Amino acid sequence: SQTIHQWPATLVQPVGSPLSLECTVEGTSNPNLYWYRQAAGRGLQLLFYSVGIGQISSEVPQNLSASRPQDRQFILSSKKLLLSDSGFYLCAWSLLAGGGTGELFFGEGSRLTVL
Amino acid sequence: DQQVKQNSPSLSVQEGRISILNCDYTNSMFDYFLWYKKYPAEGPTFLISISSIKDKNEDGRFTVFLNKSAKHLSLHIVPSQPGDSAVYFCAASALGAQKLVFGQGTRLTINP
């Protein structure tokens, strides 16, 4: 069966520090991978998605970047965190093209607090 | 531009009654709709979906209704149980699109 893991689960970082959140998927090949953010009181905002190794699409301009060095690995990064980067970050995968006719499977989430 | 809208941020329902969560969308290209349930500090989990060729899909206590002409869908939970208390997200996608678009979520609280 397929599983998705992301870490760390909780992170408290000072403003201006770097960030790296990692996500891995097991039990499937060539998944579409996604990073979402849920800010306090807001919905799920798509940040990045990837349809293959090295292929990254950015949905909103921001202080973050994403990389996909391996088929089942998706990394969210920042060189210098801002206060507004605080939120709950979710990695997700789908097998069919972007979940167009399928569903997304989410990781456990990573809560980032920038102080 | 919020293409998927859940206008009720919260809903409170008595245990055993019906819970109705609503969702509106603006993009006429959307042809697949999903509902996700999310507990605090956890990732969302898929609940139920519906294709635009249908107007109703039922799975146990959960039923999703789609009104394409009104660009509106709703999730009915009956009977509501305390374990249903969570945030519910509506999501939509267009054929061939690479992503789901989510609504803002509705926090459902089931009172004993």
Side-chain angles (χ1 to χ4, degrees):
Chain A
S1 64
Q2 301 91 353
T3 57
I4 179 170
H5 301 286
Q6 63 176 105
W7 66 93
T10 305
L11 199 59
V12 181
Q13 291 286 100
V15 169
S17 64
L19 170 73
S20 180
L21 299 179
E22 191 163 339
C23 171
T24 58
V25 180
E26 297 175 1
T28 186
S29 297
N30 303 316
N32 279 16
L33 296 172
Y34 305 81
W35 279 110
Y36 281 85
R37 176 171 61 200
Q38 184 187 14
R42 301 182 65 180
L44 294 171
Q45 181 186 35
L46 178 62
L47 303 176
F48 301 95
Y49 68 90
S50 170
V51 300
I53 295 174
Q55 300 180 60
I56 307 295
S57 296
S58 174
E59 284 296 296
V60 292
Q62 57 207 321
N63 185 42
L64 303 168
S65 62
S67 62
R68 185 171 178 174
Q70 300 179 46
D71 180 45
R72 290 171 288 177
Q73 184 185 26
F74 205 25
I75 298 171
L76 183 69
S77 305
S78 174
K79 292 182 179 178
K80 289 184 178 182
L81 284 168
L82 305 172
L83 286 174
S84 58
D85 291 325
S86 293
F88 192 59
Y89 289 82
L90 290 154
C91 181
W93 70 274
S94 72
L95 261 184
L96 299 176
T101 54
E103 68 251 30
L104 288 176
F105 299 93
F106 286 88
E108 306 93 336
S110 299
R111 179 162 301 284
L112 170 65
T113 303
V114 182
L115 301 176
Chain B
D1 176 29
Q2 191 73 28
Q3 297 185 65
V4 178
K5 298 178 184 178
Q6 293 174 256
N7 292 316
S8 298
S10 63
L11 177 67
S12 188
V13 174
Q14 189 129 19
E15 182 178 359
R17 297 288 187 96
I18 183 171
S19 296
I20 300 176
L21 297 102
N22 294 303
C23 178
D24 297 294
Y25 61 97
T26 57
N27 190 339
S28 58
M29 299 301 291
F30 287 150
D31 64 349
Y32 195 71
F33 305 89
L34 308 90
W35 284 94
Y36 282 82
K37 176 179 179 180
K38 183 183 181 302
Y39 292 117
E42 293 184 11
T45 54
F46 170 74
L47 199 54
I48 193 170
S49 63
I50 188 168
S51 164
S52 60
I53 61 173
K54 293 185 173 183
D55 54 19
K56 176 183 175 182
N57 187 27
E58 192 172 351
D59 183 3
R61 296 187 297 114
F62 303 92
T63 303
V64 55
F65 295 91
L66 176 62
N67 182 334
K68 289 186 290 293
S69 60
K71 293 190 176 68
H72 177 84
L73 66 156
S74 60
L75 174 68
H76 292 211
I77 306 173
V78 55
S80 300
Q81 299 174 355
D84 296 329
S85 294
V87 176
Y88 289 79
F89 289 97
C90 167
S93 72
L95 183 64
Q98 298 293 338
K99 59 191 180 184
L100 293 182
V101 180
F102 284 85
Q104 308 95 312
T106 297
R107 181 177 301 279
L108 175 65
T109 302
I110 306 301
N111 302 307

